Amino acid sequence: MLNQMQIPVSSSTIHVSIVDNGSFITGMQGSDYMSPVLPGHETFDGPSYIFLLHHEPTKSRLLFDLGIRVDWQTAYAPKYIKLFQEWGMGIQVDRDVTDVLREHDISPSDIDTVVFSHHHFDHTGDTTKFPSSTKIIVGPGYKEEYLPGYPEDLDELETTSDLYEGREVIEMDFSSADPKVCTIGGFKAYDYFSDGSLYLLSTPGHTIGHLSALARTTSNGQESTFLFLGGDIVSSNSVYRPSEAYPLPDQVHISNEHDSCPGELLAKLHRSYKTGGGMDLTRTTPFCEVAGDEDDLAESQRNANKLSIFDGEEDIFTVWAHDLHLKNVLEFFPAEANDWKVKGWKQKGHWRWLEPCVKAVLTSETNLLLEPESRPTIWPLIGPARDVSPNGSSAECIKWAVECLDNCNENHGRCRKDLDSVLPYRLIDVGDDSKDPHLLINDKKARGKYIALSHCWGGQSPLCLTSNTLVKFERGIPSKDIPSTFRDAIQICRLLSVKYIWIDSLCIIQDSTKDWREQAAQMCDYYSNSWVVIAADGAPNSSHGFLTDKRRKINVQRFKCPGLNGESEICVRRKGAGGLHDSFSHHYWVAPSSSPLSSRGWILQESLLAPRILHFTAEEITWECLEESRCECQVGPHHFEVERPLKLRIDALPFHTRWINLVNDYTNRSLTRQGDKLLAISGLARKMQEDKEASYWAGLWSDTFPSSLLWWVLDRYQTPGALTCFSKRIIPFQAPTWSWASVTGRILLTSETIVSDLENFSVSVTAMGSDPYGSLKSASITFNAFLALVSVQKAEEGYKLSAFSTAVTGGNQMLSHIEPDVQDNGYYDIEIGKKYWMLLIGHTASNAHCILIREVQGRSDTYERVGFVHFFGLGKFKDIATKKECDIGIDMVLTVKYDLARVLGGEVNVNRKIAGKFTAKIIM
């Protein structure tokens, strides 16, 4: 009963609206918020709800939280933004909350107070959009712990100083001496308007000074309803549901898609049942406990326990900030939420969060298996499978790895059988229990069997081969000095009875540019000639290790079922689905959708060139070769496309479709040194050219060269026109601007067949070193082409920039939209109102396909590519291209040229006239 929670009686209410400004976060990890992780909740997405509170008696308007600010990518510290990428989180926001309010005639000046539940970026929005008269309210200890914020405090990454500058910041005081302070449901509460309409609650735990709120939405003087505004008091419904007051029913009504599910089936996912506690507590206590990097985990758990009592009341509706499962239940601003009870929101939304669990258990996404593996299966459609060992170096794991290797060697016709390969120039002799590993230098004819390690540096490796350590490493490398990831790899080598391993940071002299270039050019052979590659997918860096990750302890549900010969057991566990990157892991019970390793640029060619790979993921070992893939938890090879690694998924694709897929995947990965853009994929290009009679020019192939000039930059979710693109010019240049390898952004190469409009076409490229597929010293393209003079203006909503021309009949008309090559959260390396040229690369029956170029300031007749032009009418282009206003003929010769001497300040001669034709040089 509400009176047992000591909520003071009042007839005063406050108007509440829930505002959605499009703030949305993807890829949050269930293991960061709940323990154990429920099936279907390994990763989850969520909005960031904002609450508008209007106190009619005082005409006061407050906002509880502000969601995500639109300029979050530039407002916060770059290393903070990088963390989101490393965590695999996606962040998007449509507009600031002030824009939403203005649409309904509420000005920012109408908001007198903003309450921050806490300091995290997805709650504090952008207060600079409010006048200085708008106050900020924060919880106890907030100022000392988190202010002034970045960049005034370079160590405080999670909040920014501009939010607080020039405005009053009020820190709540919940001391009992204040007559406005009371206790409600175990929380210290502050009666904000002194009339019982709104209470601010002290709920520290997730962070210091975390605040929640309790808003009275209806009242008849004696009976009231309330909205509990949770902020991040919890981040999963599983840590406070079910409860004694609101138990798990016999039939759980989820949603229209899954109208109901037996409560007993879901109860078996409960922590109590899984730890042998039976069914007694599964209906009346929360499924999980709070987990993760809380400021005070014990306090967070106490908060969840208290929240469970609030949530069990039929007159209190709980809404925490990121509850995605309520989004289709709630009505958003300008609608009010005060009549939530009449509309049945609590009943409709209370169990919707269990829908992923139902899908995981009841649909084809579930992996069903029988144990033990040796027992003849009595469920042919389910089949047998294995338990996963908690240690990747266990006897069971090594036995499984040897079986995979033997099966490949004996039965796979496409996989290489030669075990006596040419050895790399340097190798690590792994030694044994009585002898430390040491560096071995081979002659060019040495042959043998070796393993190569594919790993994520994760910053500077604590142990590297340098000019100073070369002789020392030859004598021996003490095991205690070897980072955990390398030590684990050496252990696997010994267990597989392989004497040598190649590790890049220990076999390439890291402080020698000459040695780096020479050895990097050989990586194609080093990986393709190895007996097997160990891929340390589960290790984010060289110090982490990959054999004993806690995520190998996989959650398995066991069900007793009638069988052919009496009762049998069926086991259920969550099955994964394809992630943004190729994860090389079949299952993602509690792991991210892609491993740290699979986000690295160099790893793409390592994984595609290796004849065999043992992936040591965070959850299990997986295997891939040229013919099949397997995982430790299953008996047979993978059959479904989503289970198979990238190598096998693209193997049958046509050459150029394969290359388009590879470039798109590769350019969405990270490189520590952007100057390695061409080098890190050079081995793959060299290998692919063995099957193609075509030249390779700076990441493009000669037989599709005109159309492959039509690449453009996407955001990481492959959304054309998205405002979340990051793409910068790589300096010093190592590729021409007409190549996708000249920028850092994610690239889409066109697959459309066009008729080339480039005449007298020629290309010249000069490599920086000995590798013709690596970084370039110079490159040029020369051709005759159509051009059109245009101005660039801001585009309407949904696009970035547009090209206009006054040469079109009817005056200044928009021709097409432009995708800049360089873009950074709304900044483009293209100036509004300036003149640019559209260069016609080719056409289809009705459309012109162009790129945008500009003259380099201070360098007469020198140009560079700056963007891609969306397709538009061919007739319109030829109309303006032949107009006199362009002051340029259609037989103009363009010498598109990139020259390192120019970049380094050297002298380059420019010929103004050649045989009566104008000659321009374009830095590319």
Side-chain angles (χ1 to χ4, degrees):
M1 298 293 291
L2 290 181
N3 57 0
Q4 294 177 337
M5 301 181 68
Q6 298 179 305
I7 303 177
V9 175
S10 173
S11 59
S12 297
T13 62
I14 190 167
H15 297 279
V16 183
S17 293
I18 305 173
V19 184
D20 180 12
N21 74 329
S23 295
F24 202 77
I25 304 174
T26 61
M28 292 182 280
Q29 300 301 311
S31 57
D32 290 338
Y33 305 105
M34 71 185 89
S35 177
V37 178
L38 294 179
H41 290 264
E42 294 82 4
T43 63
F44 66 96
D45 309 331
S48 285
Y49 295 133
I50 303 163
F51 297 88
L52 174 64
L53 306 166
H54 181 205
H55 188 248
E56 201 165 342
T58 61
K59 301 188 185 307
S60 176
R61 282 192 174 95
L62 298 79
L63 284 169
F64 185 88
D65 282 343
L66 298 180
I68 303 172
R69 63 192 293 172
V70 169
D71 64 345
W72 64 272
Q73 292 153 312
T74 55
Y76 287 87
K79 59 182 178 181
Y80 189 46
I81 303 303
K82 187 178 180 181
L83 284 176
F84 298 142
Q85 299 170 337
E86 293 174 354
W87 295 334
M89 289 171 56
I91 300 167
Q92 63 188 64
V93 56
D94 296 338
R95 48 195 173 159
D96 282 310
V97 64
T98 50
D99 298 325
V100 182
L101 297 179
R102 280 196 185 96
E103 289 181 358
H104 301 281
D105 299 322
I106 297 179
S107 168
S109 61
D110 295 332
I111 306 298
D112 53 70
T113 305
V114 172
V115 180
F116 286 164
S117 65
H118 60 300
H119 69 291
H120 288 165
F121 82 104
D122 49 331
H123 296 261
T124 54
D126 187 358
T127 60
T128 66
K129 301 296 180 68
F130 296 87
S132 59
S133 58
T134 302
K135 302 183 293 291
I136 297 176
I137 290 180
V138 298
Y142 188 105
K143 289 184 180 181
E144 180 180 356
E145 186 68 23
Y146 305 121
L147 298 190
Y150 177 86
E152 287 190 34
D153 181 355
L154 295 177
D155 294 325
E156 179 49 65
L157 303 182
E158 295 180 322
T159 193
T160 58
S161 55
D162 62 341
L163 299 175
Y164 315 97
E165 291 172 353
R167 69 181 68 248
E168 185 180 6
V169 180
I170 302 170
E171 189 169 279
M172 292 296 300
D173 180 3
F174 289 94
S175 63
S176 56
D178 191 326
K180 299 179 72 171
V181 174
C182 61
T183 299
I184 298 177
F187 295 120
K188 286 289 186 180
Y190 182 86
D191 188 352
Y192 188 81
F193 290 108
S194 302
D195 63 359
S197 62
L198 177 67
Y199 295 94
L200 298 183
L201 307 179
S202 178
T203 55
H206 179 61
T207 64
I208 292 172
H210 188 283
L211 296 176
S212 299
L214 188 66
R216 194 182 304 261
T217 48
T218 65
S219 178
N220 61 11
Q222 294 299 316
E223 296 181 352
S224 300
T225 63
F226 297 86
L227 262 174
F228 191 106
L229 318 184
D232 277 1
I233 186 174
V234 296
S235 293
S236 170
N237 292 287
S238 67
V239 301
Y240 66 99
R241 290 177 182 163
S243 65
E244 287 187 11
Y246 209 133
L248 188 72
D250 292 336
Q251 286 292 322
V252 181
H253 294 278
I254 306 293
S255 66
N256 291 333
E257 183 176 350
H258 296 284
D259 288 333
S260 66
C261 174
E264 183 179 3
L265 181 61
L266 293 169
K268 291 184 178 180
L269 305 179
H270 195 284
R271 59 193 163 99
S272 175
Y273 181 79
K274 289 160 59 174
T275 55
M279 298 291 285
D280 293 344
L281 299 177
T282 59
R283 302 295 184 96
T284 57
T285 60
F287 276 85
C288 304
E289 294 181 334
V290 179
D293 189 21
E294 302 286 284
D295 176 72
D296 186 335
L297 184 61
E299 188 65 28
S300 290
Q301 184 60 59
R302 286 191 287 270
N303 287 342
N305 296 342
K306 297 173 190 176
L307 182 63
S308 185
I309 298 173
F310 280 81
D311 187 63
E313 296 289 344
E314 63 177 3
D315 290 322
I316 298 178
F317 181 39
T318 304
V319 183
W320 50 275
H322 307 301
D323 193 349
L324 176 63
H325 305 286
L326 285 180
K327 194 156 188 180
N328 292 329
V329 174
L330 304 174
E331 296 177 16
F332 293 99
F333 176 77
E336 288 191 354
N338 289 60
D339 54 355
W340 61 264
K341 186 173 182 180
V342 173
K343 293 181 177 179
W345 290 359
K346 186 179 181 80
Q347 288 71 28
K348 292 177 183 176
H350 198 81
W351 300 115
R352 290 177 74 98
W353 64 278
L354 284 170
E355 184 171 3
C357 298
V358 175
K359 288 183 178 180
V361 174
L362 298 182
T363 72
S364 60
E365 291 185 3
T366 302
N367 179 30
L368 300 177
L369 54 130
L370 276 174
E371 295 177 342
E373 171 196 346
S374 58
R375 181 190 302 167
T377 177
I378 60 173
W379 299 96
L381 294 180
I382 299 175
R386 294 184 177 89
D387 271 328
V388 173
S389 171
N391 190 310
S393 62
S394 67
E396 296 86 356
C397 288
I398 298 304
K399 178 176 180 290
W400 181 83
V402 170
E403 288 173 354
C404 291
L405 285 159
D406 289 345
N407 176 61
C408 177
N409 191 55
E410 295 169 8
N411 300 314
H412 294 171
R414 294 182 57 204
C415 297
R416 186 172 56 82
K417 300 296 189 295
D418 183 11
L419 304 181
D420 207 18
S421 304
V422 176
L423 294 176
Y425 177 54
R426 301 185 189 96
L427 283 168
I428 299 297
D429 185 319
V430 300
D432 52 39
D433 292 339
S434 62
K435 181 180 178 183
D436 285 333
H438 69 275
L439 180 67
L440 175 71
I441 299 178
N442 298 303
D443 61 47
K444 294 183 179 180
K445 296 181 180 179
R447 302 182 70 87
K449 182 168 71 172
Y450 68 95
I451 287 173
L453 175 66
S454 182
H455 70 101
C456 185
W457 280 55
Q460 184 62 40
S461 174
L463 186 69
C464 288
L465 179 64
T466 66
S467 303
N468 293 330
T469 60
L470 180 60
V471 175
K472 178 183 175 182
F473 280 13
E474 288 185 71
R475 295 197 202 103
I477 309 173
S479 295
K480 64 181 179 62
D481 296 338
I482 299 175
S484 295
T485 299
F486 299 168
R487 193 162 55 242
D488 284 354
I490 288 171
Q491 181 181 355
I492 296 300
C493 281
R494 291 173 178 175
L495 291 171
L496 293 175
S497 302
V498 178
K499 189 176 183 181
Y500 304 119
I501 188 171
W502 186 85
I503 303 175
D504 54 1
S505 55
L506 302 185
C507 296
I508 300 176
I509 302 175
Q510 299 299 313
D511 60 351
S512 170
T513 301
K514 179 177 181 293
D515 192 65
W516 170 254
R517 286 178 180 167
E518 289 176 353
Q519 292 301 302
Q522 300 300 314
M523 283 189 187
C524 173
D525 295 330
Y526 290 171
Y527 282 98
S528 59
N529 290 336
S530 64
W531 182 55
V532 68
V533 167
I534 292 174
D537 290 81
N541 52 53
S542 58
S543 302
H544 187 276
F546 56 81
L547 293 178
T548 57
D549 196 292
K550 63 182 181 181
R551 287 172 287 185
R552 291 184 66 88
K553 298 177 182 179
I554 296 163
N555 208 359
V556 178
Q557 302 300 315
R558 303 175 189 275
F559 297 91
K560 298 296 183 181
C561 300
L564 297 177
N565 299 307
E567 191 176 71
S568 65
E569 186 177 62
I570 292 179
C571 301
V572 182
R573 63 190 174 202
R574 174 75 169 148
K575 177 180 177 182
L580 184 63
H581 295 303
D582 186 31
S583 71
F584 308 115
S585 176
H586 176 48
H587 299 288
Y588 315 117
W589 294 281
V590 291
S593 59
S594 56
S595 72
L597 188 62
S598 66
S599 67
R600 306 300 300 171
W602 277 97
I603 303 303
L604 178 66
Q605 73 169 6
E606 293 173 12
S607 63
L608 293 176
L609 294 174
R612 308 174 183 90
I613 307 178
L614 282 169
H615 293 279
F616 286 82
T617 76
E619 310 90 0
E620 62 174 340
I621 307 174
T622 65
W623 160 271
E624 65 168 296
C625 61
L626 298 179
E627 292 200 9
E628 69 178 21
S629 61
R630 295 173 176 262
C631 58
E632 182 185 345
C633 71
Q634 290 189 327
V635 175
H638 298 149
H639 298 290
F640 300 106
E641 189 70 9
V642 70
E643 300 172 341
R644 292 155 62 84
L646 179 65
K647 182 190 311 184
L648 297 180
R649 294 202 306 268
I650 68 170
D651 184 56
L653 296 177
F655 182 92
H656 289 295
T657 304
R658 234 185 315 155
W659 186 250
I660 289 170
N661 277 270
L662 292 176
V663 169
N664 183 260
D665 185 290
Y666 173 64
T667 54
N668 197 37
R669 297 173 181 236
S670 302
L671 286 170
T672 302
R673 294 181 291 198
Q674 289 295 335
D676 292 344
K677 197 77 170 187
L678 285 173
L679 189 61
I681 203 172
S682 62
L684 194 55
R686 181 186 293 107
K687 188 70 175 178
M688 288 186 66
Q689 197 176 37
E690 294 176 1
D691 303 322
K692 190 71 174 177
E693 292 184 5
S695 298
Y696 180 76
W697 298 324
L700 308 176
W701 296 95
S702 62
D703 59 338
T704 57
F705 192 70
S707 63
S708 59
L709 288 170
L710 298 167
W711 54 266
W712 46 316
V713 177
L714 305 176
D715 77 339
R716 71 189 301 267
Y717 300 106
Q718 306 187 68
T719 307
L723 298 177
T724 55
C725 293
F726 288 97
S727 182
K728 297 180 180 180
R729 188 73 65 190
I730 298 175
I731 298 175
F733 289 172
Q734 49 85 54
T737 59
W738 42 262
S739 167
W740 54 264
S742 67
V743 295
T744 62
R746 186 172 192 174
I747 301 300
L748 177 65
L749 290 173
T750 182
S751 58
E752 189 166 2
T753 301
I754 64 170
V755 177
S756 173
D757 284 299
L758 305 182
E759 299 177 356
N760 302 325
F761 180 87
S762 65
V763 177
S764 174
V765 295
T766 303
M768 182 77 73
S770 60
D771 184 4
Y773 300 89
S775 301
L776 299 179
K777 182 178 181 180
S778 64
S780 66
I781 56 175
T782 305
F783 46 78
N784 294 355
F786 289 97
L787 287 98
L789 185 64
V790 296
S791 65
V792 174
Q793 300 179 23
K794 266 193 170 182
E796 67 269 22
E797 187 175 353
Y799 294 92
K800 299 182 179 75
L801 302 172
S802 297
F804 284 75
S805 175
T806 57
V808 182
T809 303
N812 190 34
Q813 290 189 16
M814 195 273 286
L815 300 173
S816 185
H817 298 296
I818 298 167
E819 293 291 335
D821 295 343
V822 174
Q823 44 187 299
D824 187 355
N825 193 37
Y827 164 76
Y828 313 123
D829 188 22
I830 296 176
E831 296 182 69
I832 303 298
K834 295 291 185 179
K835 300 297 183 183
Y836 293 83
W837 297 97
M838 286 198 305
L839 170 62
L840 181 65
I841 300 298
H843 67 273
T844 56
S846 58
N847 287 327
H849 296 249
C850 303
I851 60 174
L852 195 71
I853 62 175
R854 70 177 172 200
E855 188 170 10
V856 177
Q857 187 175 5
R859 297 178 181 177
S860 179
D861 311 326
T862 303
Y863 297 79
E864 63 184 347
R865 171 184 160 141
V866 293
F868 166 84
V869 181
H870 283 275
F871 317 140
F872 69 105
L874 177 63
K876 184 182 292 187
F877 178 86
K878 289 193 172 181
D879 181 34
I880 62 173
T882 56
K883 291 287 185 179
K884 293 181 180 179
E885 288 88 337
C886 295
D887 193 28
I888 198 164
I890 63 173
D891 62 345
M892 173 182 181
V893 175
L894 294 179
T895 303
V896 181
K897 189 171 181 63
Y898 158 71
D899 196 309
L900 188 64
R902 185 181 298 280
V903 177
L904 299 179
E907 294 185 1
V908 179
N909 294 324
V910 179
N911 295 322
R912 295 301 300 266
K913 297 284 184 177
I914 298 179
K917 293 181 178 179
F918 187 82
T919 302
K921 293 186 178 180
I922 301 180
I923 296 180
M924 297 299 264

